[in-house]
Amino acid sequence: MRLLRSTDLALRVLMRLAVPDGTSSPTTREVAAAMDVPYTHAAKVVAELQHMGLLDARRGRGGGLALTERGRTASVGAVVRAFEGDGDVVDCEGTTPCPLNTACRLRGALRRAQEAFFAALDPLTIADMIAEPTGPLLLSLSRPG
């Protein structure tokens, strides 16, 4: 299974914000630069994470991004599900429906595999993802060098 770029970025943003660095909160622009992604893409992901209650975004002087307690304890599986959606791995009923659609066993097998993928991520939290050596590396990426 391959994650959408927005899912990958959402997880990386949450992980970066989970690492305390003793300085002011990074801005969306700073996070985008550290992650080497377009600002507009980062802004959309940050807006969705804020809507989900996983981070706070404050504008203006002294503003920036901050992880909420809900964000720190968020299940990685839940975040991935939210960004990936509940769609099937394959589109059996698209513009050209699959001729096997009414008697296919592959669709069910792929759905079970997708759920197993999510289930493997469910017990992991964002806080779990920043344990050594990840946390220090995330900080080094966001420091001006």
Side-chain angles (χ1 to χ4, degrees):
M1 185 167 169
R2 184 180 196 114
L3 296 179
L4 298 171
R5 285 181 51 197
S6 57
T7 305
D8 175 46
L9 182 57
L11 292 170
R12 289 190 289 149
V13 167
L14 292 171
M15 289 167 59
R16 168 53 190 93
L17 295 177
V19 181
D21 67 356
T23 64
S24 63
S25 301
T27 65
T28 302
R29 196 165 301 280
E30 291 168 344
V31 168
M35 302 292 175
D36 197 25
V37 297
Y39 168 77
T40 54
H41 191 60
K44 287 178 188 176
V45 168
V46 164
E48 182 61 26
L49 291 170
Q50 184 178 17
H51 178 73
M52 293 168 65
L54 303 179
L55 64 80
D56 287 326
R58 294 176 307 281
R59 294 181 179 262
R61 189 177 180 149
L65 305 175
L67 195 64
T68 63
E69 185 55 35
R70 183 174 176 190
R72 185 171 304 288
T73 60
S75 160
V76 173
V79 174
V80 171
R81 275 188 188 88
F83 275 84
E84 294 291 317
D86 290 331
D88 286 323
V89 175
V90 292
D91 186 10
C92 299
E93 300 177 25
T95 55
T96 308
C98 176
L100 301 175
N101 195 17
T102 59
C104 182
R105 298 182 65 170
L106 179 61
R107 183 180 190 177
L110 291 173
R111 185 61 153 154
R112 287 188 299 277
Q114 181 182 32
E115 278 306 312
F117 174 78
F118 291 141
L121 298 174
D122 282 341
L124 304 171
T125 67
I126 298 300
D128 293 334
M129 297 297 96
I130 63 166
E132 292 278 345
T134 305
L137 179 60
L138 282 165
L139 284 179
S140 72
L141 295 175
S142 59
R143 288 189 183 114

